Amino acid sequence: MQPDHLSTTLSALADPTRRAILARLSRGESSVTELAEPFAMSLPAISKHLKVLERAGLITRSREAQWRPCRLDPGPLREVSEWLEHYSRFWDQSLNRLEDYLQVMKTESGDKPA
């Protein structure tokens, strides 16, 4: 069974190094060397992370002479955000019901003589 696009994106986002790379790319395009600077790992290791991000559609790479810039592609992040929004609404509704219930309990306990 082949994973769906959302699963591929979430899998790519599961690694803190890849999330840090995406954060860096959110400020503009960078070369592999520039992306590797803050990490204590080899260029081939960074390249493996970039391949995962590229397969997930989170980055694009191009060639400009000797420079191979990487760019953030926010499309898959939008899909994750939309998926999470459903759960955000669920939790908001659940917390609102809890707040209503607590308000009823508070009102009822205030009505009873001590």
Side-chain angles (χ1 to χ4, degrees), residues 9-50:
T9 303
L10 291 172
S11 179
L13 293 172
D15 185 273
T17 300
R18 292 193 285 268
R19 290 192 307 271
I21 289 169
L22 291 176
R24 168 58 189 89
L25 290 173
S26 72
R27 297 188 305 265
E29 66 184 27
S30 291
S31 69
V32 175
T33 305
E34 291 168 337
L35 291 170
E37 285 174 3
F39 303 104
M41 61 179 68
S42 66
L43 283 177
I46 291 293
S47 289
K48 286 182 181 181
H49 284 293
L50 293 175

Side-chain angles (χ1 to χ4, degrees), residues 6 9-10 13 58 75-85:
L6 181 61
T9 303
L10 291 172
L13 293 172
L58 290 162
L77 294 175
R78 191 174 309 110
E79 182 182 357
V80 171
S81 177
E82 290 168 0
W83 181 77
L84 288 172
E85 181 60 31

Side-chain angles (χ1 to χ4, degrees), residues 82-94:
E82 290 168 0
W83 181 77
L84 288 172
E85 181 60 31
H86 166 77
Y87 294 97
S88 177
R89 284 191 303 271
F90 166 78
W91 283 110
D92 286 346
Q93 291 169 355
S94 296

